[in-house]
Amino acid sequence: KPRMSSRKARALEKRALAVLYDNFTSLDFYGPWAIFQKAFRDPETKEQPAYTLHTLALHPTGKPPGLTVQSGDNVSTVCQYTWESLPEGRWDVLLIPGGPGTRTLVEDSDLIKKLRLMCGRADTIATVCTGAALIAKTGLLDGSKATSNKAAWEWVVSQGDKVEWLKGARWVDTGRTITSAGVAAGIDMALALIARRDGTEVAKHAAQAIEYHWDGCSDAIGWEPGQKPTLLSTPSKTSSTGSRFNTPTK
């Protein structure tokens, strides 16, 4: 099989940007990020990464800009960019994890404006857990379907009263946005997103690379706190508007 030139390979790579902030939840970011890291356009050779990965440190208004953020799990992450140094151009995927830090960030109107501008430069906006609250606050989820962490459900829903929130969903994919339930659900969401954008084989190999048991896009788990999980055995449905979403079977 002839090798692709490095210049051509780089031209085909998609760009993914993760927006991190103090008090984010580590697995919300590192789980999906591991999937993007293991996604290759040619899963057999692993010589053509599907994505170049970038990170941005987003700090509250009035706080001095810096590249380091501290997760709520006490893990420090050094990002590549601040808001001031973020390169021009579009992003194929914008990833926003959740975490305790979202509780204060939703009240920061200047930060929400910056986030909305970043979303305007992204083809797909992906959120994990309470990261959906930040996007809901921008108004970009208005009129769309979305989901979030069931343990923080009422608070997240209060950030977007024009959103059609689907509580039983593991993830919700509208094409423009893809939102997931809490923490580990972000891994399933990332695999579903890669399956849609890059093909099922690419997603399957990424799951295998991190030894993650993935049932594919047709089997999501919807759950309520204190209840047994419900297996969603039906394939993801597509509405007349092209929205894909997973909802519990009756």
Side-chain angles (χ1 to χ4, degrees), residues 202-223:
V202 175
K204 198 179 295 183
H205 278 78
Q208 290 172 351
I210 67 166
E211 295 194 20
Y212 184 75
H213 178 71
W214 184 50
D215 291 327
C217 295
S218 62
D219 292 325
I221 299 295
W223 62 277

Side-chain angles (χ1 to χ4, degrees), residues 105-117:
L105 294 185
V106 294
E107 305 301 331
D108 188 332
S109 59
D110 287 338
L111 181 142
I112 294 298
K113 288 177 185 175
K114 290 178 181 177
L115 192 57
R116 186 182 174 89
L117 288 173

Side-chain angles (χ1 to χ4, degrees), residues 14-17 54 87-93 117-124 176:
K14 301 178 182 72
R15 300 202 310 163
L17 175 69
H54 308 262
E88 295 293 328
R90 292 195 62 77
W91 302 95
D92 294 279
V93 177
L117 288 173
M118 274 188 281
C119 290
R121 293 170 52 188
D123 293 337
T124 301
R176 171 76 169 121

Side-chain angles (χ1 to χ4, degrees), residues 4-233:
M4 185 183 297
S5 70
S6 58
R7 180 180 296 179
K8 188 175 181 181
R10 283 194 298 272
L12 290 174
E13 288 176 358
K14 301 178 182 72
R15 300 202 310 163
L17 175 69
V19 179
L20 304 182
Y21 49 86
D22 286 330
N23 245 2
F24 74 93
T25 295
S26 295
L27 188 58
D28 283 14
F29 163 59
Y30 284 108
W33 217 232
I35 296 299
F36 283 108
Q37 193 176 41
K38 297 298 183 181
F40 293 90
R41 289 195 305 281
D42 186 341
E44 298 299 331
T45 64
K46 295 183 174 61
E47 291 181 348
Q48 300 170 30
Y51 294 86
T52 57
L53 307 180
H54 308 262
T55 49
L56 176 138
L58 191 62
H59 295 289
T61 303
K63 181 176 179 180
L67 294 174
T68 301
V69 292
Q70 187 94 354
S71 78
D73 316 291
N74 206 30
V75 176
S76 293
T77 301
V78 180
C79 299
Q80 292 159 284
Y81 311 117
T82 62
W83 169 254
E84 291 75 15
S85 65
L86 185 65
E88 295 293 328
R90 292 195 62 77
W91 302 95
D92 294 279
V93 177
L94 185 70
L95 175 67
I96 303 169
T102 57
R103 301 271 178 167
T104 55
L105 294 185
V106 294
E107 305 301 331
D108 188 332
S109 59
D110 287 338
L111 181 142
I112 294 298
K113 288 177 185 175
K114 290 178 181 177
L115 192 57
R116 186 182 174 89
L117 288 173
M118 274 188 281
C119 290
R121 293 170 52 188
D123 293 337
T124 301
I125 303 158
T127 69
V128 183
C129 194
T130 57
L134 293 174
I135 300 304
K137 200 71 174 180
T138 69
L140 292 173
L141 287 178
D142 288 357
S144 296
K145 298 177 175 68
T147 196
S148 186
N149 190 329
K150 309 307 178 288
W153 188 257
E154 298 304 325
W155 176 77
V156 173
V157 168
S158 72
Q159 305 307 314
D161 58 6
K162 297 178 181 176
V163 182
E164 186 178 343
W165 296 101
L166 302 178
K167 191 171 185 179
R170 181 74 166 170
W171 73 86
V172 178
D173 186 359
T174 70
R176 171 76 169 121
T177 62
I178 181 167
T179 56
S180 84
V183 197
I187 297 174
D188 293 312
M189 178 203 71
L191 287 165
L193 178 56
I194 287 172
R196 169 162 67 81
R197 294 186 62 107
D198 307 286
T200 304
E201 284 304 307
V202 175
K204 198 179 295 183
H205 278 78
Q208 290 172 351
I210 67 166
E211 295 194 20
Y212 184 75
H213 178 71
W214 184 50
D215 291 327
C217 295
S218 62
D219 292 325
I221 299 295
W223 62 277
E224 302 274 343
Q227 297 181 7
K228 287 186 176 181
T230 303
L231 180 64
L232 308 187
S233 56

